[in-house]
Amino acid sequence: MSGSNPPSTNGSPCIARRAVTTSAAAVLAVALPVVLVVAIAAFANNATADEAPAQQASAERSSDRIVAASDSVATPADIDATTTVAPTTTTVPPPATTVAPATPTPVAPAPPTPAPAPAQARAGDPNDPASWDRLAQCESGGNWAINTGNGYYGGIQFSLSSWRGVGGTGYPHEASRETQIEMGKRLHAQGGWRHWPACTRSFGWR
């Protein structure tokens, strides 16, 4: 039995080591999560600190874009100032007016239109019998059957040679007024009113 340690003496160091090991494990189990939490928090704080300027710059750029967009959007006041509204034209029908019929004014009958005066032939027209009547009034006092023995016969005082020269037969004063006028037209065609110089000159026919 000499040379061997008693059981109580040999077991104490092992128990102490186990106790220390158990305590260290317990401390480590408690401290390790705390360390991890602290490390994660520190990392998160660093990341947040690094991202803060970028986020702030991004936020400022977003703010600038929002302000620019708000400047480009027309406000109601701008729309009211720049929008021209065409005036509405309303046509109102005129009120109906009842006009009493006017009393007709009696109209006096128009006086009868006088009959137009007979057209007078041009002065000295050989085709107008009135010209020959006027000439006969000057030459013979309008007597178509006169024979004074002076060598001229009838109303317009033909000479016998002139009478027969235009186709007359017999004596001029024996012929009718119409025949004497017809012979006078033929004589006028040969020389105009110069065959009766005195009277036609006084008439202004020459």
Side-chain angles (χ1 to χ4, degrees), residues 88-94:
T88 302
T89 303
T90 304
T91 303
V92 179

Side-chain angles (χ1 to χ4, degrees), residues 34-75:
V34 173
V35 172
L36 291 175
V37 170
V38 171
I40 291 172
F43 179 80
N45 289 336
N46 292 335
T48 301
D50 293 337
E51 293 175 359
Q55 292 177 353
Q56 183 176 1
S58 176
E60 290 176 355
R61 288 193 297 271
S62 298
S63 177
D64 292 340
R65 286 193 294 271
I66 292 172
V67 171
S70 65
D71 291 340
S72 63
V73 176
T75 63

